[in-house]
Amino acid sequence: MPVKINRKVPRREKPKPGGAVRAIRRSALNLMLESAKGALPNEFAGVLRAYDGVVTEVMVLPGTEQGAQAALYKFHMLPADRSVVGTVHSHPSGNYWPSGADLDLFDKFGTVHIIVGYPYNVNSWQAYDGRGRARDIQVIE
Ligand SMILES: [Zn+2]
């Protein structure tokens, strides 16, 4: 009797936009650190895109005003696919704790927000939840 071989390869599911964020790709982290350096003396501001709970992309929204005082977001410019899970911005002062205005922003939208502080290296950033509480996020390759 011939042996029936099941050649069906399990289909890889397409990564779903968004998800409960647990990690960030090192490439995305490096991009935000470099973007923060490039924006000096101003703040850099962008949004975080995640797929299956991993932040893979940093995006600057068209029309985002970047100034020394505050970075203003144009939330109507967000992509409609739910991939945007939060924000990232820089603090040229070096202090990477959220300001009062930051807390208002975090509260409005998103589940993970990153502040990178000068000198913008791998040790000068912190992730926060929507309530401004520091939260861990794993850096993966
Ligand atoms: Zn801030």
Side-chain angles (χ1 to χ4, degrees):
M1 208 175 134
V3 180
K4 201 176 165 191
I5 298 170
N6 187 351
R7 294 192 182 277
K8 215 171 156 187
V9 177
R11 192 186 294 174
R12 265 186 99 170
E13 288 217 17
K14 233 179 129 187
K16 287 192 183 67
V21 176
R22 56 193 165 80
I24 181 169
R25 288 228 181 272
R26 190 175 301 281
S27 57
L29 178 63
N30 286 340
L31 179 62
M32 64 180 80
L33 295 172
E34 289 309 311
S35 302
K37 284 176 196 162
L40 278 169
N42 293 333
E43 283 189 18
F44 155 75
V47 294
L48 305 171
R49 294 184 96 172
Y51 295 88
D52 290 341
V54 177
V55 175
T56 55
E57 226 181 289
V58 179
M59 197 172 86
V60 176
L61 298 181
T64 301
E65 292 163 35
Q66 310 210 18
Q69 298 304 314
L72 303 172
Y73 286 88
K74 303 273 202 294
F75 284 114
H76 60 277
M77 298 301 288
L78 287 178
D81 67 359
R82 295 170 178 268
S83 60
V84 174
V85 292
T87 65
V88 54
H89 74 281
S90 66
H91 281 177
S93 66
N95 172 346
Y96 49 83
W97 291 99
S99 66
D102 291 340
L103 292 174
D104 287 345
L105 170 71
F106 295 177
D107 191 43
K108 276 195 192 95
F109 123 106
T111 57
V112 58
H113 301 276
I114 293 177
I115 299 177
V116 296
Y118 187 83
Y120 308 138
N121 62 38
V122 290
N123 299 314
S124 64
W125 64 281
Q126 177 65 52
Y128 301 92
D129 67 12
R131 290 180 152 178
R133 295 175 298 208
R135 52 161 293 180
D136 282 334
I137 180 169
Q138 205 191 340
V139 179
I140 61 172
E141 299 304 325

